[in-house]
Every structure is written in structure tokens, then in C-alpha cells.
Amino acid sequence: MAETILSKRPKKEQKIDPEIGVGLSWKTIKNQKQLILMSFPIVIYILIFNYVPIWGWLMAFQNYRPALKFSKQQWVGLKHFKFLFQDDTFLTVLRNTLAMSMINLVLSFATAIILALLLNEIKVRFWKRSIQTISYLPHFLSWIIAAGIVATSLSVDDGIVNQLLMKMHIITEPIMWLSEGKYFWGIVGLSNVWKEVGWNTIIYLAAITSIDPSLYESAGIDGANRYQKILYVTLPGIKSTFIILLIMNIGHILDAGFEIQYLLGNGLIVDWSQTIDIFVLKYGIAQGNYSLATAAGIFKTVVSIILILIANSTAKRLGEERLI
Amino acid sequence: MGTTTARRIRIEPILFHTINGIFMLVLAIVTLYPFLHTLTISFNEGNDALRGGIYIWPRSWSLQNYKAIFLSGTIYHAAWISVARTITSTVIGVFLTAMLAYTLAQPHYLFRKIIGLIFVLTMYFNAGLIPNYFLIKSLGLLNNFWVYVLPGMVNAFNLIVIRTYIRTLPSGLVESAKMDGAGDFTIFLRIILPLCTPVLATISLFIAVGSWNTWFDTFLYASSDLKLSTLQYEMMKLLGSTMSSNNDPGLMAGANTNQTKAMVTPSSIRAAITIVAAVPILFVYPFLQRYFIVGMNLGSVKE
């Protein structure tokens, strides 16, 4: 499992020196005492912070009440899961999550690949680096700052978006962008692009750099122009990177993001802005309905794992690089 | 290409590069304008800014917004907590991640595979908000400074980046040091760590930026303790107050007790805090650029 998604990187060889020996024996354990001492505390840390909480999943099958002991909790089977799928709020929240995820997925892949292709065509090093540095900038700022900037840009009184659109005579009076649900998904999608497009191109640019230059030369000799080279050399060259990232992202399809929706959402557009994470926060932390919120969380995790496995095995069947 | 004499082949590249150049310029403007605008608003008088029509040059210069921020005790303390959590998380996080990465980079290490698996799996699932909340609660970390440091201290992505980097170092280094009688911990500390400076810079940036930018942990685990409020959390409260414009958070209340009352507004204060919160990052990241590009690509290497 040691391939890389950078196609030019040589495969790692992990030859084991037969003289040292790695069988499980007291001698090896004694030899590796320091390695064990260096790693086990951190492993225990990970077990506590990442694996112990899974125990909490049992709450989803109980009417959990914090005051009671574990043995006194009332078991209710799948009640909370059934409730979720009959609950209009949850179904709306699920729809919003899926919609915003899909929009983010398509937009972020498309814009990152296009920007990488265009950046790659820039031959002046200084110019290319400047554009890159600028495009990374929003990635390093918090969503609070970003959401504040988005809110300011979209404001009715003097937001730049309304002003521009009015100067160009596309609209005649300012639009209240954040008060109408129909705009919200688009706003979230574009905000994500603004914040992450530069960052997302890094990996594609690396993949493009690792394409064998002789491929371009021979394409040139065959009479390929710029666009044909992009279509027949560059795009196939970044295909495996694209597929790995796609698999990884499909696993996060129910993570539509949380911060921007939470920060920009308001009472008027709650039917478009709430995601599963906000639902969990609202029911769980704010209203103390821990069991229901945990059930929603489990649903999210299980769907992610199933999707990752499906995407991975599809990639395997198509003979593509895969994750697991 | 384009070495033939046919004119249409010569025109095409010029046209392409012109259009590409214009596109990049637009991209740069769209990315930068919001910051310049925010910077301008932060240096403009609050009430005047409400009239609108300010782009990238202040109409009525004023330092009142910054004065209001720096005269209110809240922001100092919040900034101090932000700095403290960022430094603590970065130092501890980088050291522990590197130490574990070193052990996992040793091809003979007995538990290399199983530990690797334990970590990689954490990338794909999460117990969820509620179980995590109960864990934090039962560990006694609610309203405790360490809740900012402990939960995300070592993560799989950073681990993979450092481990991949350590593997590119010549393996003879470790072996010859062993011959000389050095233990693994000494080798890690004296030989590997110094050689890892570039990748450690990358990971430090990742951890520091993450820690500096988070508000959610304050919101969830420490919101009832004002002493643990962070810069981002203060901004979050301000953002809420400017969007619903009814409740005044502590910072505005603090600002209004000063003589600055008439000149600052929640949005002008927000602009100034945005700048205060963004400046440290804006100064650091361009210098680390070449490192984090490498880091990103090492991190995408799978195992």
C-alpha cells in the first residue's frame, strides 16, 4: 500500500534486514523498548480521544439521561433513528447538507483544476508565484473573518456585490442576499471557492509538474496545440490525483461544512441553511436531547464509511488508484 | 511551439496569455479587495462608514476603532488566550507528532503497522459531537485551558507528512548512530529533529493556524468562562451582534464606556478585530509558502 498519488514518485521499498529480525520475541521488544516508550503514550492518547467516545454511540439506543447510571438507562432500540426519518426538520436538514455538499464538491473540483491548468500556462515565475501567494491567503483566515467579509460584501446598504450589479444595470435595486433562502446554497458554494480554490490547486500543480516533459514534446511534434496538450497530456496526467481526492471527498459528503452555515444563517432562511451538524448542535447541546443528536451523528458517520467503501471499490473495479 | 512563420500561430499565444493575465488579475482583485476594504473600514470613523461608499481609502481617518479595542480589557485577555493556546498547541503537538512519526518511520518497528492503522482510521470516522462532548466533560476539561490543546494534539494527516519526510532521510543515519550506542530517543532528538526543520515548519504552520482560527471549542467547551474567551470567539460574538444588531456583547459595552462612544459601531469594531486577528497570519504564511506546498503534497501520499 505504498503508492503515492504523485505518479512520478518511486515506490517505497521496505526491505527488512534479515539480520535484525522483526519477529515478536522478548529480545525484539527489549531492543525496541525506546520506540515502544516513545509511541505507546501517544497511542493511548489517540485511543482515549478518538476511540473511547464511540462508546457514547450507545446513547442513541437509549433515552439517555445524564443523571442516571449506565445500568439504569432505558433502552429504546431504534426509536430515535425512526424518529429522525419521519421528522420534517431532519429531512430538510439532510437535503440542505446534501445539496451544499454536492455544490461544494463540483465547484471546488472544477475551479481548482481550471486554476491549476491556467497557472501552469503562466511562464513568468514572479507573476505565477504572486498569484499563488494571493490565492492561498483566504485559506489561512478563519471562517469568522471570511463570514464577516462575505456578510459585508453582500450587505444591502453598501455591499460591493449590490453596488457592482447596480452599476452594471443587472439589477435595479439592492438584493437582500442573506435574507432569501434561494440564494444561500450558492453563497456558501462561492464563499468556499473564494476561500479554498488556491489551496486546492496545490496538489494539482504538483501532479502537473510531475508529468514527463517528453510527453509534451512528442505531442508538440505530432502537431498538438495548447488545448490539445491540455486535453490529451495534462488532464490524463492529473487523473489519478483527481480520483483519490474524489474518493476522499465522497466520504465527507455529509460534512457540508458547519461554520459558514452557522455564522451566516439566520431565522429567515433556516430552511436552507441548517445542516446536520447544526441540527446535532441544536438538539444535542442546546436542548439536551443527547440521544437524538447522537443518532443523527451515527447516521452521518455510517453513511460516510459506506460511501468511502463504495467509491473505493468502484475505483478498484475501474482499475484506478484507490485509497484503501 | 509557435516557431513556424504562420501568423495565426503567433497571435494565438499572445491572445491566450492576455486573457489568462486578465483572468489572474481579476482573481487577485477578488481575493484581495475584501481585505483592503476591511482595512479601510477599520481606519475609518465608525458612524461615517455606515453611510457607505468607502472602497479602499478611508474617508475620515480615525484610530478610534483600534483604540476602542485596545482600551477594552476583553480583547487583551482574549488575544493573550489565543496566543497562549496557539503556542502551547504548536509546541506540544509538533513534538509529539514528530516523535510518533519517527517510530513509525522505522521499518523494523514491531507495532508500526497496527499503530499506523489506528491513526489512519481516525481520518475517516468520528464519534460525533455529543459523545465527544461527554468525553471532554468526564475528563474534566470543560472550562479548562487544556481543552484548547489536548483534543486535536496529534492528527493522522500531520503524522503522515512528517513520517514520509523522515523516510526520505538516509537510513544509514539511524543505523550508524545505533552502532555508536545511541538510543532511539537520543537519535530522534539529536539527529532526526534538526534534519526535519522544513517539514516541522509546515506542520507548525498547520497546527498554529488551526489553533489560532478556531472558535468552536471555546463556544462548545468554555463559553461559560469569560477568562478563556479567545480572539476568534470574541469576533464570533461581534459577528452575531452585527448581523442581528440587538445585543451588545462585552466588547462593545466596554468600548462604549469610554469617550469613544459616538465614533465606533459594531461593524467598524469588527473590521478592526478582523485586521488584528488576521495580521499575524498574513505576516507568516508567505514566508512558509515553499514549505507548506511540499507538506501538502507529502500529506497526500497514502500508506
Side-chain angles (χ1 to χ4, degrees):
Chain A
M1 288 207 298
E3 294 109 351
T4 72
I5 72 164
L6 307 179
S7 44
K8 286 293 124 190
R9 197 179 283 273
K11 287 188 181 177
K12 284 260 152 46
E13 289 200 24
Q14 290 180 357
K15 277 193 193 135
I16 288 165
D17 186 350
E19 283 183 24
I20 294 178
V22 288
L24 182 63
S25 69
W26 284 115
K27 197 174 156 241
T28 343
I29 289 181
K30 220 179 134 204
N31 278 337
Q32 300 191 343
K33 187 178 59 193
Q34 291 212 5
L35 288 175
I36 292 172
L37 276 175
M38 285 163 77
S39 57
F40 273 42
I42 309 174
V43 172
I44 291 166
Y45 157 79
I46 280 292
L47 291 177
I48 292 174
F49 277 88
N50 290 71
Y51 288 85
V52 168
I54 295 173
W55 171 254
W57 280 14
L58 289 177
M59 275 189 286
F61 306 97
Q62 304 167 335
N63 268 341
Y64 181 79
R65 274 187 279 157
L68 296 179
K69 277 195 186 126
F70 181 74
S71 55
K72 296 272 167 59
Q73 299 288 351
Q74 184 197 352
W75 292 86
V76 293
L78 293 174
K79 182 185 136 194
H80 296 295
F81 290 92
K82 281 182 192 146
F83 176 84
L84 277 183
F85 291 102
Q86 287 158 3
D87 181 36
D88 283 341
T89 316
F90 184 75
L91 294 177
T92 313
V93 161
L94 185 59
R95 179 202 66 177
N96 295 343
T97 309
L98 283 171
M100 280 186 262
S101 265
M102 293 306 288
I103 292 172
N104 283 345
L105 193 70
V106 173
L107 273 184
S108 66
F109 272 106
T111 53
I113 291 174
I114 291 170
L115 183 61
L117 292 175
L118 290 178
L119 274 171
N120 188 49
E121 297 290 333
I122 299 179
K123 301 294 175 232
V124 186
R125 242 182 92 78
F126 174 76
W127 175 233
K128 185 175 171 178
R129 275 189 72 95
S130 309
I131 293 291
Q132 279 183 278
T133 309
I134 291 171
S135 70
Y136 300 150
L137 188 147
H139 170 82
F140 289 97
L141 300 170
S142 67
W143 265 119
I144 307 260
I145 296 180
I149 285 173
V150 171
T152 311
S153 310
L154 294 177
S155 103
V156 184
D157 313 321
D158 60 334
I160 185 77
V161 174
N162 275 324
Q163 290 192 353
L164 260 183
L165 289 177
M166 276 172 43
K167 281 209 175 109
M168 290 158 76
H169 299 288
I170 295 173
I171 55 172
T172 49
E173 55 185 75
I175 295 176
M176 297 175 73
W177 295 103
L178 288 170
S179 309
E180 285 194 53
K182 61 182 173 189
Y183 299 128
F184 194 77
W185 295 351
I187 292 171
V188 169
L190 291 177
S191 308
N192 262 309
V193 167
W194 176 76
K195 196 170 184 294
E196 303 296 342
V197 65
W199 189 251
N200 291 338
T201 56
I202 292 181
I203 205 161
Y204 291 111
L205 279 173
I208 291 175
T209 320
S210 67
I211 294 172
D212 187 352
S214 64
L215 287 174
Y216 288 103
E217 277 165 36
S218 49
I221 291 167
D222 289 344
N225 62 27
R226 182 193 310 278
Y227 310 101
Q228 287 165 329
K229 281 181 187 167
I230 290 176
L231 197 60
Y232 298 112
V233 182
T234 315
L235 284 178
I238 59 178
K239 196 173 94 176
S240 60
T241 305
F242 169 75
I243 286 175
I244 293 251
L245 290 181
L246 189 64
I247 296 176
M248 287 167 76
N249 281 300
I250 281 175
H252 291 290
I253 204 101
L254 292 184
D255 291 319
F258 156 77
E259 295 197 39
I260 184 167
Q261 288 89 349
Y262 186 83
L263 295 167
L264 289 185
N266 57 58
L268 295 170
I269 53 170
V270 74
D271 282 347
W272 284 270
S273 66
Q274 255 195 13
T275 60
I276 295 182
D277 292 317
I278 298 176
F279 178 90
V280 170
L281 188 71
K282 205 165 128 187
Y283 276 80
I285 305 290
Q287 297 182 10
N289 195 339
Y290 301 116
S291 296
L292 188 67
T294 307
I298 293 177
F299 168 73
K300 208 180 116 177
T301 304
V302 170
V303 170
S304 304
I305 291 173
I306 293 173
L307 284 175
I308 275 218
L309 291 176
I310 292 175
N312 196 55
S313 69
T314 311
K316 189 173 172 180
R317 218 173 305 134
L318 295 174
E320 292 296 341
E321 286 234 38
R322 54 195 188 276
L323 199 65
I324 304 165
Chain B
M1 64 179 279
T3 48
T4 48
T5 48
R7 192 162 293 157
R8 101 194 130 78
I9 294 183
R10 288 187 167 213
I11 286 174
E12 191 279 331
I14 296 173
L15 192 69
F16 179 87
H17 286 296
T18 311
I19 293 174
N20 199 5
I22 292 171
F23 177 81
M24 292 298 166
L25 209 60
V26 171
L27 179 85
I29 291 171
V30 169
T31 312
L32 287 181
Y33 174 79
F35 295 100
L36 292 177
H37 182 72
T38 309
L39 188 68
T40 308
I41 296 289
S42 77
F43 281 112
N44 202 14
E45 213 174 76
N47 282 325
D48 177 61
L50 285 183
R51 282 169 37 218
I54 296 174
Y55 300 97
I56 55 168
W57 199 252
R59 187 164 49 210
S60 133
W61 276 91
S62 159
L63 288 173
Q64 292 298 347
N65 298 313
Y66 289 95
K67 245 189 191 162
I69 289 180
F70 290 115
L71 284 179
S72 103
T74 332
I75 205 76
Y76 273 117
H77 196 75
W80 158 243
I81 294 290
S82 282
V83 169
R85 69 170 287 176
T86 302
I87 293 177
T88 318
S89 306
T90 309
V91 171
I92 298 181
V94 167
F95 181 79
L96 290 182
T97 312
M99 187 162 79
L100 188 67
Y102 167 79
T103 69
L104 298 189
Q106 303 311 309
H108 313 301
Y109 182 36
L110 263 183
F111 305 106
R112 186 176 57 88
K113 281 217 162 130
I114 174 80
I115 294 176
L117 187 70
I118 287 172
F119 273 84
V120 167
L121 283 179
T122 63
M123 286 172 91
Y124 300 107
F125 73 82
N126 189 308
L129 187 73
I130 308 297
N132 279 326
Y133 181 82
F134 278 100
L135 175 82
I136 297 293
K137 196 176 167 189
S138 60
L139 291 175
L141 287 172
L142 287 187
N143 295 322
N144 181 330
F145 175 78
W146 289 97
V147 80
Y148 292 145
V149 179
L150 292 175
M153 210 164 49
V154 178
N155 82 56
F157 179 85
N158 296 344
L159 184 73
I160 291 172
V161 172
I162 303 183
R163 190 204 43 196
T164 312
Y165 187 87
I166 292 177
R167 281 192 180 156
T168 64
L169 304 173
S171 58
L173 278 174
V174 174
E175 272 148 41
S176 60
K178 280 223 168 105
M179 302 271 184
D180 294 341
D184 279 299
F185 190 69
T186 316
I187 296 172
F188 164 69
L189 218 52
R190 304 280 292 276
I191 299 174
I192 301 297
L193 263 192
L195 289 173
C196 283
T197 316
V199 76
L200 296 184
T202 311
I203 300 304
S204 303
L205 179 75
F206 289 167
I207 299 181
V209 167
S211 187
W212 181 260
N213 280 343
T214 308
W215 57 276
F216 193 58
D217 47 12
T218 316
F219 175 73
L220 204 53
Y221 304 130
S223 54
S224 55
D225 189 348
L226 285 175
K227 285 205 179 76
L228 288 174
S229 191
T230 54
L231 213 49
Q232 303 288 341
Y233 187 61
E234 288 300 318
M235 281 184 63
M236 193 281 232
K237 289 197 286 188
L238 260 183
L239 185 69
S241 75
T242 44
M243 290 197 62
S244 57
S245 64
N246 43 26
N247 61 325
D248 261 8
L251 188 71
M252 278 305 294
N256 283 347
T257 57
N258 301 314
Q259 68 277 39
T260 56
K261 185 165 183 149
M263 288 105 146
V264 300
T265 63
S267 52
S268 68
I269 291 267
R270 191 183 72 204
I273 302 191
T274 302
I275 299 302
V276 172
V279 156
I281 291 172
L282 294 187
F283 274 98
V284 178
Y285 93 93
F287 300 103
L288 292 169
Q289 185 168 337
R290 73 194 161 101
Y291 296 132
F292 69 65
I293 290 177
V294 175
M296 270 290 281
N297 292 312
L298 289 178
S300 57
V301 174
K302 67 190 177 118
E303 163 79 353

